[in-house]
Amino acid sequence: MGKSIFIRRLFCGVAICKTAARRFFICLPRIAASAAAVAVAVAAAVACKFGFLKKPFFKFVLIAACFFSVLLAARFFPKAPILNGYSFSTAIFDANGKLLRISAAKDGQYRLFVPLSSMPKSLKYGTLLYEDRFFYFHPGFNPAALVKGFWISVIKKQRAVGASTISMQTARIIYGINSSSIRGKIKQIFAALWLEARYSKDDILEAYLNIVPYGYNIEGAGAASLIYFSVKPKDLSILESFSLCVIPQNPNFRRLSDARIRERTERMRKLIFKKWVKKYPQDLDKENYFNMPLLVRKPGKLPFYAPHFTDRILNSSTALSSKQEGIINTTLNLSLQKVIEAKIKSYIDRKSSLGINNASAILVNYKTMEVAAYIGSADFFDDAIEGQVNGLSAYRSPGSAMKPFIYALALDKGIIHPLTLLKDTPKHYGIFAPENADKDFLGPVFAKRALTQSRNIPAIDLLIKVTPESFIELLKKAEIANLKTTDYYGSSLIIGGFEISAEKIARLYAMLANGGIMQNLKFTKGLPNVRERVLSPEAAFLTLDMLKDNVRPAGADSIDLEIYWKTGTSYAYRDAWTAGVFGDYVLVVWAGKFNNEGNQTFTARQAAAPLFFEIIKAVLLEDQSLIGSKLEAGNLNLREVPVCAVCGDLPNAFCAKTLKTYFIPLKSPINVCNVCRPVYIDKKTGLRSPYYDPQKTKTVIYEFWSSEILSVFEAAGIAQRTPPKFLPDVEINEVSSYGTPPQIILPARNISYVVRARDYEIEQTAFKADSDSDAKAIFWFLDDKYIGQSKPGEVLLAKTQSGVFSVKAVDDLGRSAESKLKVEIIGR
C-alpha cells in the first residue's frame, strides 16, 4: 500500500517539475529581456555616479544601449496582432468555388485577410524582388537605399525616390504616418524599427500583403486577386502574381483594369520575371505566359449572385464562424441558382396579368441537407415588390402544406394506414364548424385521397386523435419560432393557423425523405449536423408514398420521375405554397405578395404548383441522372396486405373487391370490414329476416353507411341501397344486436353549455345522432325522460334545465348510445 502511494507521489512530482520547466523556458526570453533592461538601468546609475555621462561617447553608448534594450524587451512581451483594429471583407463562394459576392470592410475598402502560408511563392518573393530585395536582412530600414534616395531626391532634386522598405511602408500604413517630409521619414524609420522589434519578418510581410493598396478601394493581395482575376490568392498564376506586384508602388496609376496604362505594367512585370529566373531558373519555361493577354475584371463588375442567400450568410453568426481566411465556402450551386432564377422571372412575366408578381424558392439536397438554390424574391432590386425582403426566412401561414405531418403522426401512432376510411362530412367542434376549400364534402374518403385532395374535416379529426400537443412538439423540433400553446390555435392548427418559413418547411419535408430523421439545413461547408429521429422510417415513407398520387397540373405528367408533393393556400388567398420531394431534392415554392394583400388567383394549384413543376423540369435538364428516380421501401418494416375496396378495413367474407396497401406490423389499425354485411331477405315478402333460412330467405350484400355519410351521398345525388324493413312479426330484441348503435354528435362531449339568464326562456339545446343506414328514427331521453325524436343525422331542439344530465339516443331497432350534458345558467 505504502509503495503504491510513493509511486503515485513520484509521478505527480515529475509532472509538476515538467510543467514548471516548460513554463520557465517559455518565459526565458522575457526574463532575459528584463534582465538586459535591468542591466542597462544599473549601468546608467553607475555612469551617473562616476560622471561618465559627461563624456559624449559614453552618453551615446548609453542611449544606444537603452534604445536597443527597449527594443529587445518589446520583442518578447505580450502584444496585439499586428493588424489589430483592421476590419476585413468576407468572400462568399458557391459549392464549386465560384465567387458569389465579396463584402466591403467596415471602412468601405475591399480587404480580404489571407495568411502568408496561403499566398503563392510567386506573389511573396516577386513582391520582395520588386520592392525590397534585402527585406530579410535589414533591421527595418535600408541605409544604402536611404542615402541613395536622399542624394537623388534632395541633393540633385531629380525624381522622387522613396527608399522605403516593406517594413517602413507597413509602419506608414498602420500608424498613418505622412512620410513626404524629412521629419515624417524619420518618424517612419523609428516606427519600422518598432515593428521589427515587436514582430517577426513574416508577420510584417503578411501584414503588408494584406493592407497595401492595389488601386481603387482595393487593399491586400487577397481582395485584389479575387476582384481582378476571380481566383483565390493560392491559385494565382505567375503572370497574375507579378501583375499584382507592380501596383503598390503607384496604385492610382497602375490599375490593371485601365487599358491605357496596361503596357507600362507589362514592362514592369517582365522586369520582375528577368530577376525571378536568375533566382529560380526552373521557371524559365513560363516566359511565354508574359506574351499572353491578361484577363482583368473591372471592380465595378463584381459578382453579386444569390443576394438573399449571401445576405443570410453575412448575417449568420453560425456561417461566419465557419469562415477561414476571410472566405466562406457555401453549399449553393450557382448553376442551379441561375436556372431557377430564370424560371421564376419567366413565370412572373407570364403570370403578371393575373396579379402574380412575386415568388420564392428553396432547393435542398436532402441527402446532404445542403441548400443548393435560394431565391428570396423574384427580383432583389425591384422596390415595387419589396424585392429585398427575404421570402424564404419570413414567417407566413402555410395553409394546408403542413397536413402531411398530421398524417405522418397518425401513421406512426397506428391510427390510420394509407387506405383507412375517413369521414369528410359536416361536423361541429364545439361552436366551430369547419368547411373544405370547395365548400363541399366527399363523404367516406380514403386517407390517401383525403391528404392529396387536402380535405379539412379528416385532417382536423386526425389532429384531435394524434393530439395537438404531439403536432406542436414536432414543429418545435424543427425549431419553428413563436409557437403558442395548443389552446391558442385549436383546430385551425392544421389548416394554416400558425406561421412558418419556407426554410422550415423544407427542413420538415427533408425529414420525411430522410426516413423521419430531423436535421439542420446546411448553408456552408464543413459544419456538423445534428440528427434527431422524430418519426419512424415506415411512417415517413408511407406519408411520401401517399403524396406521390397527388394529381399533377396540366403539362407536368410528362416528368419521368416520382414527385411527392403537397400544396397549401393561406387564409384570404395571401400565400400559395407547393412543397415536395423529387430525386435527391426537396423543393419549396411560394407565390404571393410581401404586403399580405390577398388575391383569389393565389390558390396553390394555380399560382405555385405550375412554377414548382417548371423548376423540377429545369433541374432535370441540369442533372439528368435524377430521371426515373423514386423512393423504395427497401428493408423497412412494411407489409403489403389486401383491404376491402369499399371501406379500407381487412376484408370479411362478403367484400366483393379488395385493394393492396401497406401496413406497419404491430402498429397499423387492424379492423375487419363492417360496411359490407349480409342481409337475409324473405323470398315471399321481400322484407328483412333476422335469420338465414335457405328455404325461405336469400342473402343480399348491402353497404351499411352511417346516416351522416348517407346524407352526403344524397346531397351529391348518389343513390345508395338501404336494407328493407324487418318482417312485421320480428321482435325488437331480436334485431337490436345487429348493426352499429347510434353515435351522438350533439351535444358534444366534454363541452359545458353556458346560457345567459335573460335567454333562458328561449334557449334550446341541439341533439343530433348518426346511425346505421337501416335505422329510420332516433328517440332521445334526458335522464330517462323522453324529450323527442329526430331522423338520423337531423337536429332535435329541446329546452333543458341547468345541471348535469345523462343523454340517451335509441334508434328504432333498439340500439342505443349514451353521453353526458352539462348546462350552466349565468347572470342570475
Side-chain angles (χ1 to χ4, degrees):
M1 186 71 178
K3 186 177 179 180
S4 63
I5 293 174
F6 171 76
I7 292 172
R8 283 202 299 270
R9 288 178 177 175
L10 180 63
F11 277 112
C12 288
V14 171
I16 292 170
C17 290
K18 285 175 67 179
T19 302
R22 186 164 54 248
R23 290 181 178 176
F24 173 77
F25 284 111
I26 290 172
C27 297
L28 186 60
R30 297 180 188 173
I31 295 170
S34 300
V38 169
V40 170
V42 170
V46 171
C48 289
K49 176 74 174 176
F50 293 100
F52 291 139
L53 290 181
K54 294 178 180 179
K55 297 179 180 181
F57 174 76
F58 286 109
K59 186 182 289 187
F60 173 78
V61 169
L62 186 59
I63 292 172
C66 289
F67 178 73
F68 285 107
S69 66
V70 169
L71 293 183
L72 179 63
R75 183 58 174 268
F76 297 107
F77 279 90
K79 53 185 176 287
I82 190 169
L83 294 180
N84 190 41
Y86 272 83
S87 62
F88 289 91
S89 301
T90 299
I92 303 173
F93 290 85
D94 87 332
N96 299 310
K98 296 176 183 176
L99 181 64
L100 298 175
R101 179 177 175 181
I102 180 169
S103 67
K106 292 178 181 178
D107 57 359
Q109 302 295 309
Y110 287 107
R111 186 189 304 114
L112 187 69
F113 181 80
V114 179
L116 193 64
S117 60
S118 295
M119 293 186 187
K121 181 178 73 171
S122 56
L123 178 64
K124 291 185 287 189
Y125 297 120
T127 299
L128 294 180
L129 280 175
Y130 191 70
E131 290 282 352
D132 190 356
R133 286 183 297 162
F134 303 105
F135 172 72
Y136 281 102
F137 305 101
H138 61 62
F141 66 96
N142 187 333
L146 284 173
V147 170
K148 180 181 177 182
F150 182 78
W151 178 260
I152 293 174
S153 303
V154 179
I155 304 301
K156 287 196 168 185
K157 299 188 183 299
Q158 295 179 2
R159 63 184 178 85
V161 177
S164 293
T165 63
I166 281 179
S167 302
M168 292 171 66
Q169 293 180 59
T170 305
R172 174 180 57 79
I173 297 170
I174 289 176
Y175 299 120
I177 298 170
N178 182 0
S179 61
S180 58
S181 64
I182 294 177
R183 183 179 179 183
K185 185 63 71 175
I186 293 171
K187 188 176 180 181
Q188 184 184 13
I189 291 170
F190 277 95
L193 288 170
W194 176 250
L195 281 183
E196 292 272 355
R198 295 284 279 163
Y199 301 96
S200 70
K201 286 287 187 179
D202 283 351
D203 288 341
I204 294 170
L205 181 58
E206 180 182 81
Y208 173 81
L209 289 172
N210 275 290
I211 61 174
V212 70
Y214 281 93
Y216 301 98
N217 60 334
I218 304 169
E219 293 184 0
S225 63
L226 282 178
I227 293 172
Y228 288 130
F229 305 122
S230 303
V231 297
K232 298 175 183 177
K234 64 183 180 64
D235 298 321
L236 284 168
S237 69
I238 191 169
L239 173 63
E240 292 165 340
S241 291
F242 290 175
S243 298
L244 292 180
C245 291
V246 304
I247 298 176
Q249 272 195 8
N250 201 338
N252 290 327
F253 292 95
R254 295 182 185 177
R255 295 172 176 173
L256 292 179
S257 58
D258 193 335
R260 296 170 298 176
I261 59 174
R262 199 170 293 169
E263 289 183 10
R264 191 185 312 164
T265 58
E266 287 175 4
R267 289 196 304 271
M268 293 174 182
R269 65 174 177 251
K270 286 180 179 179
L271 179 63
I272 299 176
F273 184 71
K274 285 181 180 179
K275 295 179 181 179
W276 181 267
V277 293
K278 289 179 182 178
K279 190 171 184 179
Y280 304 102
Q282 66 270 23
D283 288 337
L284 187 60
D285 59 343
K286 297 177 181 177
E287 186 174 9
N288 289 333
Y289 289 175
F290 291 83
N291 297 320
M292 298 170 62
L294 184 67
L295 300 177
V296 179
R297 176 172 53 206
K298 291 186 177 181
K301 294 183 178 179
L302 279 175
F304 193 69
Y305 298 124
H308 292 101
F309 180 81
T310 53
D311 274 351
R312 190 192 188 286
I313 293 292
L314 291 171
N315 293 324
S316 168
S317 58
T318 304
L320 292 176
S321 68
S322 70
K323 179 169 68 172
Q324 295 180 347
E325 302 176 10
I327 287 171
I328 297 178
N329 294 305
T330 73
T331 61
L332 194 89
N333 184 318
L334 185 57
S335 297
L336 287 175
Q337 176 80 12
K338 289 180 176 180
V339 165
I340 297 175
E341 284 177 354
K343 275 295 170 189
I344 290 176
K345 185 179 185 305
S346 170
Y347 183 79
I348 294 298
D349 289 343
R350 286 182 280 118
K351 299 289 185 177
S352 58
S353 60
L354 300 176
I356 300 173
N357 62 8
N358 203 0
S360 303
I362 181 172
L363 183 70
V364 178
N365 184 320
Y366 70 81
K367 293 182 177 179
T368 63
M369 292 305 290
E370 295 180 348
V371 176
Y374 190 97
I375 300 92
S377 71
D379 187 347
F380 184 83
F381 300 101
D382 188 349
D383 291 337
I385 63 168
E386 302 174 78
Q388 294 190 24
V389 173
N390 185 350
L392 297 177
S393 62
Y395 274 65
R396 308 184 71 86
S397 167
S400 296
M402 300 302 290
K403 281 179 181 171
F405 303 98
I406 281 295
Y407 283 79
L409 288 170
L411 288 162
D412 209 21
K413 290 176 180 288
I415 297 170
I416 61 169
H417 58 74
L419 292 185
T420 294
L421 198 68
L422 305 176
K423 289 182 180 180
D424 182 25
T425 56
K427 285 197 176 180
H428 291 78
Y429 302 90
I431 61 171
F432 178 48
E435 294 180 325
N436 292 304
D438 59 5
K439 310 294 183 185
D440 202 358
F441 300 94
L442 297 179
V445 58
F446 288 135
K448 178 189 292 189
R449 187 182 176 199
L451 174 58
T452 57
Q453 295 196 6
S454 205
R455 311 310 291 178
N456 288 337
I457 311 302
I460 294 172
D461 275 347
L462 289 179
L463 175 66
I464 293 169
K465 290 175 181 177
V466 304
T467 73
E469 289 78 12
S470 296
F471 186 56
I472 287 285
E473 186 61 29
L474 177 66
L475 298 179
K476 286 180 178 178
K477 288 178 179 178
E479 298 178 331
I480 296 166
N482 305 319
L483 286 173
K484 298 179 174 59
T485 63
T486 54
D487 292 339
Y488 177 86
Y489 297 111
S491 302
S492 70
L493 189 62
I494 197 54
I495 52 177
F498 68 102
E499 292 187 336
I500 187 173
S501 69
E503 290 180 12
K504 302 299 185 185
I505 293 176
R507 188 179 175 191
L508 283 163
Y509 275 81
M511 176 271 293
L512 293 178
N514 282 315
I517 296 175
M518 188 80 75
Q519 301 176 69
N520 297 323
L521 297 183
K522 289 185 179 179
F523 291 83
T524 58
K525 295 284 189 179
L527 289 180
N529 206 346
V530 178
R531 298 163 59 89
E532 180 183 8
R533 177 165 295 285
V534 297
L535 288 173
S536 69
E538 292 79 16
F541 172 82
L542 290 180
T543 303
L544 292 177
D545 193 59
M546 291 162 72
L547 290 173
K548 77 180 180 186
D549 293 326
N550 200 352
V551 179
R552 300 181 184 184
D557 288 331
S558 61
I559 301 176
D560 184 19
L561 82 165
E562 289 188 352
I563 302 171
Y564 317 90
W565 64 290
K566 182 72 182 72
T567 57
T569 306
S570 70
Y571 175 74
Y573 304 101
R574 292 179 180 138
D575 309 276
W577 298 89
T578 301
V581 178
F582 71 97
D584 296 342
Y585 294 103
V586 168
L587 174 63
V588 179
V589 170
W590 169 88
K593 293 185 177 181
F594 290 146
N595 63 5
N596 287 328
E597 180 183 327
N599 184 333
Q600 290 199 357
T601 60
F602 289 167
T603 61
R605 285 192 171 268
Q606 286 180 287
L611 176 58
F612 176 85
F613 283 95
E614 286 186 23
I615 290 174
I616 291 176
K617 285 182 180 179
V619 172
L620 291 181
L621 290 175
E622 290 290 309
D623 186 359
Q624 296 191 10
S625 67
L626 301 175
I627 293 175
S629 61
K630 61 181 180 178
L631 295 175
E632 300 284 356
N635 296 321
L636 295 179
N637 183 28
L638 293 172
R639 298 290 183 272
E640 206 170 18
V641 298
V643 294
C644 173
V646 175
C647 70
D649 288 329
L650 294 175
N652 62 28
F654 308 102
C655 296
K657 289 180 63 178
T658 60
L659 298 172
K660 287 286 188 73
T661 190
Y662 282 115
F663 264 49
I664 306 175
L666 304 179
K667 184 175 286 188
S668 295
I670 301 176
N671 300 312
V672 178
C673 174
N674 193 38
V675 172
C676 302
R677 302 183 210 163
V679 173
Y680 309 122
I681 305 297
D682 182 71
K683 294 178 180 179
K684 187 182 295 185
T685 63
L687 296 178
R688 186 177 177 185
S689 170
Y691 308 110
Y692 176 65
D693 184 342
Q695 302 297 324
K696 297 181 180 180
T697 63
K698 62 179 180 179
T699 303
V700 179
I701 307 302
Y702 281 85
E703 293 178 8
F704 280 73
W705 297 107
S706 68
S707 56
E708 184 181 21
I709 290 177
L710 283 176
S711 65
V712 176
F713 285 150
E714 185 179 346
I718 301 172
Q720 286 288 323
R721 287 191 314 156
T722 57
K725 293 180 179 180
F726 279 94
L727 290 166
D729 58 345
V730 174
E731 298 290 336
I732 195 167
N733 61 351
E734 294 182 274
V735 300
S736 61
S737 60
Y738 288 87
T740 305
Q743 179 184 356
I744 297 174
I745 299 172
L746 294 175
R749 291 181 179 272
N750 304 319
I751 296 292
S752 294
Y753 289 80
V754 179
V755 181
R756 294 184 184 275
R758 65 174 180 267
D759 300 326
Y760 175 66
E761 295 299 326
I762 59 173
E763 190 73 26
Q764 292 181 306
T765 303
F767 296 86
K768 180 182 177 182
D770 194 11
S771 68
D772 244 356
S773 56
D774 55 354
K776 306 302 178 186
I778 303 289
F779 304 95
W780 293 93
F781 298 85
L782 211 59
D783 281 350
D784 295 327
K785 293 181 180 179
Y786 177 73
I787 59 171
Q789 77 174 67
S790 64
K791 290 183 178 180
E794 293 186 359
V795 173
L796 167 69
L797 294 174
K799 188 176 178 181
T800 56
Q801 305 291 323
S802 63
V804 179
F805 304 94
S806 174
V807 178
K808 180 181 285 188
V810 183
D811 67 18
D812 57 348
L813 297 179
R815 298 169 297 208
S816 64
E818 292 191 30
S819 182
K820 292 289 185 181
L821 169 65
K822 183 179 181 180
V823 179
E824 296 180 33
I825 300 174
I826 60 173
R828 283 182 171 176

